[in-house]
Structure formats: C-alpha cells, structure tokens
Amino acid sequence: MPQQPPIADYAFLSDCRSGALVGRDGSVDWWCPTRFDGPSVLGRLLDPRAGHWRLAPVTPGRVERAYRPGSLVLRTVHHTATGSVAVTDALAAGPGARGHELGLNSPAVLVRVVEGLTGRVPMRLDFAPRPEYGRLTPYLHERPDGSVLATAGPVVLALRGGGPLRVAGDRVRCDVTVAAGQTVGFDLAYGAAYGDPPARLDPVPTLADTVRAWEAFRETHRYDGEYADLVRHSATVLTGLTYTRSGAVAAAATTSLPERLGGDRTYDYRYSWLRDFAMTMRALWVAACPEEADRLFAWAARSAGRIGEAPVPVLFGLEGERELAERDLGHLRGYADSRPVRVGNEAWRQRQLDVPGEVILAVWRLHEYLGETFDTEIREMVVDLAEEVAGTWRLPDRGMWEARDAERHHLSSKVFCWVALDRAVELAPRLGKRADPVRWAAIRDEIRATVLRAGWNEQVGAYTGVFGSAELDASALLLPLVRFLPATDPRMRATIAAVERELGAGDGLVRRWPTDPAAFLMCSFWLVECLVLAGEPERGRAVFERAVTHANDVGLFSEQVDPVSGAQVGNTPQALSHIGLISAAWRLTDPATD
C-alpha cells in the first residue's frame, strides 16, 4: 500500500454544511457531502481503498498553495518542467449566496478549475468514488453529455468536466493538456438515490460566485487587535466548521486521525461539544462574528433542552441529536494503520461535571447582549444547570479529557462547578423567582475551599489534575482564565511554572499530562494567557509566536503536534486549536479581557 500523506499536507474546503480535505498532491481524500458527520464518499484519508479524486500534473513538480483571501477556496500552483498550472478547489456556495447565507442552500458540489499559467502541462484526473465510508464500489455510467454517473446504494455522484472522461474498471480517468491562458473546469455533484438529482453547475462561474460569497462573509469579521491576519484566518476556519442550518460548530472535520501514529486514540470529532461552547462563543465575539455567535447560542439552548435527572449532555449531533452511539468501521485500515476507525463518540454517555459551568459562563459573557430580562428558555436553562451542579458537584466524573477508564475527582471539573455557581449568583437578578443565590453562594464557597485544599499537592508544589494525584495536568492553567485564582497567586505561579517546566515540550508546545503522546495546541495558548495575566506578556508573546509556527502551509492546525518530529497529529482542522489562537491573541491585545 502507498504511504499516506502527512496530516499537515491537507487543506480544508467547506460549504458550511460539509467538509473536504485536499492534499498537496491534488487528491481529495475526504468528503462527506451530506453534512460534516455524514458518511464519506471519498475516504482515502482513512484507507487507501476508500475513495479519492486526484487532479494533478502527470509529472509532479514544485507546489505552492494558498487560500483566496478571506475564504476557504484553495489555489494550488504546480510548477513542472513543461509549464505551470493553477488548480482552484472549492465546495460550491449556493447560487447567489452571500455572507451568512453561506451553507443554507449548499448544492453539495465540489468544483475544481485548472488554469494554464505558462507552457503546456499534461494533467491527469483519477476518480475512484467509494460511498458509505468505502463500503460501496459504485456502478459507473458514461452519459451522452460526456459526464459520468456513479450510483451505489443511497448515493448518486455526477462527474462532469472539460476533458474526455472515460470509465476504466472501477474508476474514471481523464487526460488533458492545459496550455497557458486555457481554463478547464470539473465538478463533482452529490445527489440522493431517491431524492433530488445532483445539481448541474458550470464550474468556472460557480467558483467565482463562491469566492464572492466568502468575501462577503469576511467583510463581517472586523477584528483589529494584535495578530489580525492570524485571527481573521482562524475565524474563517471556525466559520468553515460551522453547520449553518443549526449554528453548531463541529469540533473538527474528520474522524479517527490518531493522537499517535499507529495508536488507538482515534475518535470521531465531527460533532459539537457543549464544553467548547463558551470558548467558541468568546472566540467568535473577539473575532467580531456576532451573528455566528448568536446562532451558536440558540443551537446550544435548544439542544440542551430541559435539564432532567440524567447528567447534562456533553455533546450533540449538528442538529441537536443526543444518541451518538460509537461503532468501529472494521473494514478500514485507519490513517497510518491507526485503528479502530470510529463513527460516533461514546463520550455522549459520560458524566462531565465541568459542562454546566461552561454553558453558564457563556451566558454570563453574553449577558449584556441578551438584555436586562432573559427569555424563559435561558432563565430555565441557567437555573436548572445551577441546581444540577449544586446537587452533583461532589461526584467523580470523566473530566474534560473524557477518560474512558474510570471516574475521578478532576480539578478542572470542580473548578467549573465553582464557575457555574459563581456566575449564576451574578446572573441571579435576571433569572426570576427560581433563582437561589444565597444557597448557590454558600455551595460555591464550599467548592472553592475544597479545591484549594484537595487540589493542591504539597510534594509536587502545584495544583494537579485529580484530587490526591501527583500527576500534573495542563487544565490547571484554566484557573486564572475563569477568575478562580489570579495568575499572580503564589500557588498559581508555582503551578504555571511546573506546567511549563514539566509539560512543556519545547518550541511553544505543552502536553496535557506527562505521558501524553503529543502536545495539545490549546494548552499552549492557555499558557500564553496565563503568562500575560502573571505580568509576563513578552514571555507569553514568545510562546505564542513559537506555537503558531506549527500551522501548516495554509494556516491550519490539527489537534496536536508530535514534539519530536513536529508532525501534526489528531483530527483536523481542530476548532479548539484555532479558538485558542484567537483567545491568546486577544489576551495579548487586551490583558483585562474576560
């Protein structure tokens, strides 16, 4: 089997409904056309046999890539011995869509346009669709209009182009020479076997219209703080991970990319976590994306619903689904032979006590925007969450890193229980008659005293990840960020220093815990914020500027970075990594921000 490209080789395409990944070699190796968490029709990312669409020069050469400004439209220039061509790739916006309409009527069409720049370049197209995560090999039909129709199970795919498409066994081939000044377009359209047929679009004007849609969206993002280009690009990535129909933000566009090559920590991140909610809301507001923040807030309130006897849900499908049962796709080899390949995420069943605090923190941050009087749904949600915390904070849980072995008393979970009640007390005047700020304040103070006593490990000289444990955990860096302790507190200073010393992996990278196989980028950005709050902004700036060098050539971060090889690992692009960049850049701009 051929070696798979590095994760950093992939660029991200989005129509704000689904996502695709295209490599430096011109191969689209991941596309789930129905929505981010739907089945793939191109899945070579997870198995060389699971489908791809390659369009590139016959003879490879030097490659340069960049997104069109303010967009997720990718332009790749191939320099070969006989000339140069540019291939521009995009998931098409709906006809005439502008700004926040992007994604509402996406036609599920992948557009690829080849432009001759110099000389003459022989190009080759190789298309091997494999729907249902590679389980199906479709029938391929050459049509009178020159297109090829691929049909299998519930899927219909129509490939059209400016060259002679021919069926060769289980794939489609096309060879075309592109001369300077010549433009050749191709499009791949998805349709349901028993629904609407694939859309018919002209690739060249569709591409131009999609660029205009992204440009209109970019005009709504008006961040003017430090590292503006990085922040705006990260905001564009978050926009690309947004499922516009509901406002949910997917944690990543992929499933099962491993935290360590060959390892089994391979999870499906194509869903939306309530834990990420407050951090995402803050990042969107910092990046001046208020409409996205508003839609995300409405999605979270609707998805959480009434809080009952079961633990507060941890994550949801992109339209609010709760049942996300995890299963293994045993027929797939996995990226770099990393198994299992998972669909669904069993964390939806877990108790994670920090989640109510994350949600109430988001409401607190938005309280001025939400008005003097909250609507009934928000009032009920905050009160129910506060009551949930008041009754459960003493229980063990799986923690924010979603441990799969046992429940424990996690420091960060207890701190966010404190956050939930602390902010609920502040919000009490807007919460109606059911608010109980006196009782909440008493429990809040009890939680604080417990954390200060049980969370500190005298032998280690730091706050550790679990009560009674000697193991450091980078989540302790959250204490100053949620106002539990000032970063200048002597014990907090000691904890920051211990995390930097013991969990620092060099080059601005920070692991979550001592045996973590790779550095977690979000933790690096937490360290930046802590150093700024501790009165060391220049050290924080240095960590920031080293950490951002780990983006790939088109500015994307995966979840983690291998500190030895420098390779990106984990699902990509990872929303939390880009959220961390935005928050850290704003902290460097305005240290007093909440």
mmCIF file of all heavy atoms in Angstrom, residues 27 29 54 79 103 222 229 331 338 349 435 447 455 476 510 556 558:
data_model
loop_
_atom_site.group_PDB
_atom_site.id
_atom_site.type_symbol
_atom_site.label_atom_id
_atom_site.label_comp_id
_atom_site.label_asym_id
_atom_site.label_seq_id
_atom_site.Cartn_x
_atom_site.Cartn_y
_atom_site.Cartn_z
ATOM 1 N N SER A 27 -5.028 15.416 -4.519
ATOM 2 C CA SER A 27 -6.029 14.384 -4.294
ATOM 3 C C SER A 27 -6.995 14.790 -3.188
ATOM 4 O O SER A 27 -6.569 15.106 -2.063
ATOM 5 C CB SER A 27 -5.357 13.055 -3.926
ATOM 6 O OG SER A 27 -6.323 12.021 -3.797
ATOM 7 N N ASP A 29 -9.131 13.507 -0.579
ATOM 8 C CA ASP A 29 -9.132 12.216 0.109
ATOM 9 C C ASP A 29 -10.190 12.123 1.208
ATOM 10 O O ASP A 29 -10.232 11.130 1.937
ATOM 11 C CB ASP A 29 -7.749 11.950 0.722
ATOM 12 C CG ASP A 29 -6.699 11.637 -0.334
ATOM 13 O OD1 ASP A 29 -7.072 11.378 -1.490
ATOM 14 O OD2 ASP A 29 -5.495 11.677 -0.001
ATOM 15 N N ARG A 54 -8.235 12.581 -7.640
ATOM 16 C CA ARG A 54 -6.964 13.267 -7.844
ATOM 17 C C ARG A 54 -6.989 14.017 -9.171
ATOM 18 O O ARG A 54 -7.433 13.499 -10.192
ATOM 19 C CB ARG A 54 -5.803 12.276 -7.827
ATOM 20 C CG ARG A 54 -4.429 12.942 -7.835
ATOM 21 C CD ARG A 54 -3.315 11.937 -7.528
ATOM 22 N NE ARG A 54 -2.033 12.602 -7.377
ATOM 23 C CZ ARG A 54 -1.164 12.811 -8.380
ATOM 24 N NH1 ARG A 54 -1.456 12.379 -9.609
ATOM 25 N NH2 ARG A 54 -0.018 13.421 -8.164
ATOM 26 N N HIS A 79 4.283 23.788 -10.487
ATOM 27 C CA HIS A 79 5.360 24.167 -11.405
ATOM 28 C C HIS A 79 6.030 22.894 -11.906
ATOM 29 O O HIS A 79 6.595 22.128 -11.119
ATOM 30 C CB HIS A 79 6.391 25.044 -10.690
ATOM 31 C CG HIS A 79 5.823 26.315 -10.138
ATOM 32 N ND1 HIS A 79 5.578 27.423 -10.906
ATOM 33 C CD2 HIS A 79 5.453 26.654 -8.872
ATOM 34 C CE1 HIS A 79 5.097 28.400 -10.148
ATOM 35 N NE2 HIS A 79 5.007 27.950 -8.913
ATOM 36 N N GLY A 103 -23.967 28.220 3.115
ATOM 37 C CA GLY A 103 -24.294 26.967 3.774
ATOM 38 C C GLY A 103 -25.768 26.661 3.855
ATOM 39 O O GLY A 103 -26.154 25.507 4.083
ATOM 40 N N ARG A 222 -14.448 41.928 11.727
ATOM 41 C CA ARG A 222 -13.738 43.208 11.785
ATOM 42 C C ARG A 222 -12.780 43.301 12.974
ATOM 43 O O ARG A 222 -12.675 44.332 13.622
ATOM 44 C CB ARG A 222 -14.751 44.362 11.831
ATOM 45 C CG ARG A 222 -15.687 44.363 10.632
ATOM 46 C CD ARG A 222 -16.602 45.583 10.611
ATOM 47 N NE ARG A 222 -17.523 45.530 9.494
ATOM 48 C CZ ARG A 222 -17.240 45.888 8.259
ATOM 49 N NH1 ARG A 222 -16.015 46.321 7.978
ATOM 50 N NH2 ARG A 222 -18.137 45.817 7.302
ATOM 51 N N ASP A 229 -4.108 39.104 11.025
ATOM 52 C CA ASP A 229 -4.216 38.151 9.922
ATOM 53 C C ASP A 229 -4.441 36.735 10.440
ATOM 54 O O ASP A 229 -5.257 35.979 9.888
ATOM 55 C CB ASP A 229 -2.961 38.192 9.046
ATOM 56 C CG ASP A 229 -2.885 39.452 8.201
ATOM 57 O OD1 ASP A 229 -3.909 40.153 8.073
ATOM 58 O OD2 ASP A 229 -1.788 39.752 7.681
ATOM 59 N N HIS A 331 -13.697 -2.436 8.483
ATOM 60 C CA HIS A 331 -13.194 -2.681 7.131
ATOM 61 C C HIS A 331 -12.135 -1.659 6.716
ATOM 62 O O HIS A 331 -11.499 -1.833 5.674
ATOM 63 C CB HIS A 331 -14.353 -2.650 6.129
ATOM 64 C CG HIS A 331 -15.011 -1.317 5.998
ATOM 65 N ND1 HIS A 331 -15.833 -0.794 6.990
ATOM 66 C CD2 HIS A 331 -14.981 -0.379 5.004
ATOM 67 C CE1 HIS A 331 -16.279 0.389 6.602
ATOM 68 N NE2 HIS A 331 -15.776 0.667 5.414
ATOM 69 N N SER A 338 -3.708 3.202 11.998
ATOM 70 C CA SER A 338 -4.153 3.526 13.359
ATOM 71 C C SER A 338 -5.611 3.092 13.498
ATOM 72 O O SER A 338 -6.500 3.656 12.865
ATOM 73 C CB SER A 338 -4.006 5.031 13.614
ATOM 74 O OG SER A 338 -2.685 5.460 13.357
ATOM 75 N N ARG A 349 -22.275 9.557 26.585
ATOM 76 C CA ARG A 349 -22.866 8.901 27.753
ATOM 77 C C ARG A 349 -22.217 9.338 29.072
ATOM 78 O O ARG A 349 -22.702 8.983 30.145
ATOM 79 C CB ARG A 349 -22.712 7.382 27.640
ATOM 80 C CG ARG A 349 -23.357 6.758 26.409
ATOM 81 C CD ARG A 349 -23.079 5.260 26.395
ATOM 82 N NE ARG A 349 -23.519 4.610 25.186
ATOM 83 C CZ ARG A 349 -24.748 4.131 24.978
ATOM 84 N NH1 ARG A 349 -25.655 4.239 25.924
ATOM 85 N NH2 ARG A 349 -25.059 3.538 23.848
ATOM 86 N N ALA A 435 -34.450 31.478 41.078
ATOM 87 C CA ALA A 435 -33.042 31.694 41.443
ATOM 88 C C ALA A 435 -32.865 31.619 42.950
ATOM 89 O O ALA A 435 -33.710 32.102 43.720
ATOM 90 C CB ALA A 435 -32.572 33.040 40.921
ATOM 91 N N ILE A 447 -17.203 24.702 47.472
ATOM 92 C CA ILE A 447 -16.423 24.130 46.368
ATOM 93 C C ILE A 447 -15.051 24.773 46.313
ATOM 94 O O ILE A 447 -14.023 24.074 46.160
ATOM 95 C CB ILE A 447 -17.154 24.336 45.022
ATOM 96 C CG1 ILE A 447 -18.483 23.577 45.003
ATOM 97 C CG2 ILE A 447 -16.271 23.871 43.855
ATOM 98 C CD1 ILE A 447 -19.357 23.886 43.802
ATOM 99 N N GLY A 455 -7.025 20.147 45.915
ATOM 100 C CA GLY A 455 -6.406 20.223 44.601
ATOM 101 C C GLY A 455 -4.910 20.486 44.638
ATOM 102 O O GLY A 455 -4.198 20.191 43.680
ATOM 103 N N ALA A 476 -4.999 22.717 34.667
ATOM 104 C CA ALA A 476 -4.863 23.630 35.817
ATOM 105 C C ALA A 476 -4.628 25.066 35.361
ATOM 106 O O ALA A 476 -4.871 26.009 36.128
ATOM 107 C CB ALA A 476 -3.719 23.162 36.714
ATOM 108 N N VAL A 510 2.894 22.394 24.677
ATOM 109 C CA VAL A 510 2.571 21.930 26.026
ATOM 110 C C VAL A 510 1.743 20.658 25.914
ATOM 111 O O VAL A 510 0.755 20.598 25.182
ATOM 112 C CB VAL A 510 1.776 23.001 26.808
ATOM 113 C CG1 VAL A 510 1.406 22.475 28.193
ATOM 114 C CG2 VAL A 510 2.572 24.289 26.922
ATOM 115 N N LEU A 556 -3.541 25.968 8.849
ATOM 116 C CA LEU A 556 -4.446 25.093 9.584
ATOM 117 C C LEU A 556 -3.715 24.369 10.706
ATOM 118 O O LEU A 556 -2.573 23.948 10.555
ATOM 119 C CB LEU A 556 -5.058 24.049 8.649
ATOM 120 C CG LEU A 556 -5.899 24.553 7.484
ATOM 121 C CD1 LEU A 556 -6.430 23.377 6.681
ATOM 122 C CD2 LEU A 556 -7.039 25.447 7.959
ATOM 123 N N SER A 558 -4.089 21.071 13.349
ATOM 124 C CA SER A 558 -4.791 19.878 13.807
ATOM 125 C C SER A 558 -4.922 19.982 15.330
ATOM 126 O O SER A 558 -4.706 21.035 15.921
ATOM 127 C CB SER A 558 -4.024 18.620 13.404
ATOM 128 O OG SER A 558 -2.785 18.570 14.095
#
